[in-house]
Amino acid sequence: MRRPLVAGNWKMHGTRASVAELIKGLRHLALPAGIDVAVFPSCLHIAQVIAGLEGKAMAVGAQNCAVEPMQGALTGEVAPSQLADAGCRMVLVGHSERRQIMGERDEMISRKFAAAQSCGLVPVLCVGETLEQREAGKTIEVVGRQLGTVIEDLGVGAFASAIVAYEPVWAIGTGLTATPEQAQEVHAAIRAQLAAENGEVARKVRILYGGSVKAANAAELFRMPDIDGGLIGGASLNADEFGAICRAAGS
Ligand code: PEP
């Protein structure tokens, strides 16, 4: 049985004051037993969030990392080793906003994935198709290529300590959500692709769904057999809403 994970991606949101408010709200949440919870603040607020959530069972992660594991001459980037030193446990790699706006390619994402793991961080590999790709019937091909690059570069064993997040680009921040059946179809395909290489890794890996998840639709998504929790953007900025999503994962 896979333990559900609810992860909040705060994106480029927050000031010290608003982050302090959010921490206060999160500290008050009664979280269900049997699930994992993580939040991914902006890099600037990681130390504040780690200190603020001390003693609360919530992991903190980063939204991105450098391709090189160790600190060095790479202006503007943050090394996975620095994130680990700061107390991060996880890092998002390949979020669609970084693929689309920052031009990150599969090869670069593989390098970030490897760099993160070499520093003891758990990478959360984000994959997903655009609306155009879905309408062209290419969803499984696109997601398969994004996942396949990491499998080819690092071997399927890399997924023994990693998480996958399926996030259809057309559902991120748009209010449109994949139906539970649409999401399940892709999650099952991701697991099958991993199973073709290693059944045990595929059985154990957690695959999160992301894309306009909120309290009102979380339970029906989390009920699907291959959906092991959610990567939550906008709704994770409201502690009560995030708490309700966590409860849906725990029920
Ligand atoms: C995300 O950014 O990973 C995300 C899923 O955003 P939202 O929940 O706002 O669609």
Side-chain angles (χ1 to χ4, degrees):
M1 191 57 185
R2 294 177 296 270
R3 192 175 161 91
L5 167 66
V6 178
N9 172 16
W10 295 0
K11 311 197 189 201
M12 196 172 64
H13 290 292
T15 60
R16 281 183 301 163
S18 71
V19 166
E21 275 303 302
L22 190 46
I23 290 169
K24 206 194 292 174
L26 293 174
R27 288 202 67 89
H28 279 113
L29 293 179
L31 295 170
I35 72 161
D36 292 329
V37 180
V39 291
F40 294 75
S42 93
C43 232
L44 209 53
H45 299 122
I46 283 171
Q48 183 185 357
V49 175
I50 288 176
L53 291 178
E54 204 187 331
K56 189 86 187 164
M58 278 191 199
V60 178
Q63 298 171 17
N64 179 39
C65 67
V67 292
E68 295 294 338
M70 306 314 287
Q71 56 181 301
L74 203 42
T75 304
E77 289 293 280
V78 180
S81 59
Q82 292 175 307
L83 295 172
D85 177 60
C88 285
R89 307 236 304 267
M90 303 176 178
V91 60
L92 304 182
V93 294
H95 190 279
S96 66
E97 285 151 15
R98 296 203 62 85
R99 289 181 190 264
Q100 297 214 304
I101 301 169
M102 312 304 290
E104 289 194 6
R105 311 297 294 250
D106 290 334
E107 295 68 28
M108 176 185 268
I109 292 159
S110 254
R111 287 181 67 194
K112 291 186 178 200
F113 187 115
Q117 279 192 329
S118 76
C119 297
L121 297 173
V122 175
V124 180
L125 174 69
C126 303
V127 296
E129 82 289 1
T130 63
L131 186 58
E132 199 181 13
Q133 290 164 334
R134 172 162 284 267
E135 286 176 349
K138 295 206 161 122
T139 299
I140 302 298
E141 179 189 324
V142 168
V143 169
R145 193 199 60 236
Q146 293 168 340
L147 179 68
T149 304
V150 181
I151 299 174
E152 268 166 42
D153 291 351
L154 309 177
V156 71
F159 287 88
S161 51
I163 292 164
V164 180
Y166 167 57
E167 300 203 298
V169 179
W170 49 271
I172 295 183
T174 57
L176 297 172
T177 314
T179 63
E181 293 72 23
Q182 282 173 322
Q184 167 59 26
E185 183 192 7
V186 183
H187 282 234
I190 291 170
R191 206 177 298 286
Q193 188 174 349
L194 292 165
E197 309 276 337
N198 185 317
E200 199 189 345
V201 168
R203 245 189 334 276
K204 290 187 174 163
V205 71
R206 290 185 286 188
I207 308 175
L208 312 182
Y209 170 77
S212 298
V213 176
K214 39 193 178 289
N217 60 19
E220 58 176 13
L221 286 158
F222 296 165
R223 212 171 285 133
M224 303 310 280
D226 288 295
I227 300 183
D228 307 312
L231 180 54
I232 321 298
S236 70
L237 295 169
N238 178 313
D240 290 337
E241 181 82 6
F242 188 63
I245 294 169
C246 291
R247 286 193 295 282
S251 61

